[in-house]
Amino acid sequence: MNYQRELDQLLARLEEEEKVPRLLLHSCCAPCSSYVLEYLSAYFEITVFYYNPNIYPESEYTKRILEQQTLIGEMKTKHPVSFVAGVYEKEKFYEMAAGLEHVREGGERCMRCYELRLREAARLAEEGGYDYFTTTLSISPMKNAAKLGEIGQRLAGEYGVKYLPSDFKKKNGYKRSIELSRIYGLYRQDYCGCEFSLRDAQARRKDPEKQEN
Ligand code: SF4
């Protein structure tokens, strides 16, 4: 499925019908959300949902959430952008990751991690009567947009809220997020977020030859 084409078609329809739907946007961090907010706030009234129980350690969680709030406060957008924080329920992440601690990034643990966060977004979108939900995660070249789309569509069926098809790395989204990070002076972390990705990033730093990203 070509998620970007689907999104282009949907945005064109919204413009034609002069509709501004409500979107619950799960965000993993400020840098990834920067491009998505710049792009989608022209079409949607967005609530950024920061739900990332995977982040380790807690000081990193605090740093990322504060950065997210600062960015929202500073960005000039066509339609309003608001913010809601989820619960930092670390135990849910560790329960989900049990037995998968040594799986490489991009494997089964990550698929479950996507679902953990998207499920909470879908649940909140249903509770809040949103028109759509989606996530910033697909902007990263390390993230599997097809899997995210598959999970999103399945959860849309379960919760009765539409999943906004997306592959934000298209249209130079990732490149633009780097530019915006520079413009807004954002902190860009060098590991995905969990304890296991931090461990792998530290190993890469020590021995870049042997460890691939
Ligand atoms: S590497 Fe990233 S996506 Fe995978 S489990 Fe860790 S935090 Fe989640």
Side-chain angles (χ1 to χ4, degrees):
M1 191 183 278
N2 186 327
Y3 291 105
Q4 183 60 52
R5 193 168 56 218
E6 291 239 325
L7 181 58
D8 285 340
Q9 287 166 354
L10 173 69
L11 297 181
R13 247 189 349 261
L14 292 177
E15 266 195 324
E16 209 179 288
E17 295 167 3
E18 296 183 12
K19 283 186 180 158
V20 183
R22 291 175 67 226
L23 168 69
L24 187 74
L25 174 66
H26 164 266
S27 172
C28 54
C29 62
C32 289
S33 72
S34 60
Y35 162 74
V36 181
L37 286 174
E38 180 182 69
Y39 178 35
L40 293 185
S41 62
Y43 304 92
F44 296 90
E45 193 185 306
I46 299 176
T47 300
V48 172
F49 179 44
Y50 190 87
Y51 176 71
N52 298 294
N54 50 317
I55 309 251
Y56 175 90
E58 194 158 341
S59 56
E60 176 74 16
Y61 179 89
T62 308
K63 206 167 172 179
R64 292 193 195 188
I65 197 169
L66 289 175
E67 201 70 349
Q68 180 72 74
Q69 287 169 297
T70 306
L71 174 69
I72 294 169
E74 287 181 1
M75 271 189 109
K76 301 273 174 284
T77 54
K78 182 173 176 188
H79 297 297
V81 175
S82 54
F83 175 79
V84 62
V87 181
Y88 185 34
E89 39 199 6
K90 292 175 270 186
E91 65 294 344
K92 276 206 177 175
F93 173 77
Y94 285 106
E95 238 170 68
M96 172 288 286
L100 299 170
E101 294 85 351
H102 293 283
V103 173
R104 287 170 63 90
E105 187 170 341
E108 179 60 21
R109 188 186 69 235
C110 298
M111 301 307 121
R112 293 195 197 177
C113 183
Y114 298 168
E115 175 151 355
L116 175 69
R117 293 183 276 170
L118 271 173
R119 180 172 289 283
E120 185 59 8
R123 190 197 66 71
L124 191 68
E126 181 199 21
E127 195 181 282
Y130 285 83
D131 300 296
Y132 294 90
F133 74 101
T134 196
T135 175
T136 59
L137 283 167
S138 69
I139 199 168
S140 162
M142 297 290 289
K143 300 288 182 299
N144 186 329
K147 275 284 171 198
L148 284 164
E150 215 177 285
I151 295 167
Q153 295 296 352
R154 176 162 46 78
L155 293 172
E158 275 184 50
Y159 289 88
V161 184
K162 286 174 273 187
Y163 180 72
L164 192 76
S166 45
D167 187 357
F168 294 120
K169 66 179 81 54
K170 296 283 162 64
K171 292 194 161 180
N172 283 326
Y174 182 65
K175 192 167 162 244
R176 180 65 183 153
S177 76
I178 294 172
E179 283 166 10
L180 287 166
S181 298
R182 206 176 309 119
I183 292 168
Y184 288 97
L186 300 175
Y187 157 66
R188 290 186 72 88
Q189 61 278 353
D190 70 347
Y191 69 103
C192 185
C194 66
E195 178 179 346
F196 317 117
S197 60
L198 175 60
R199 173 200 62 202
D200 295 346
Q202 284 167 341
R204 277 196 301 274
R205 276 180 231 139
K206 269 195 203 146
D207 193 351
E209 293 286 303
K210 280 190 185 158
Q211 304 279 336
E212 308 165 25
N213 194 351

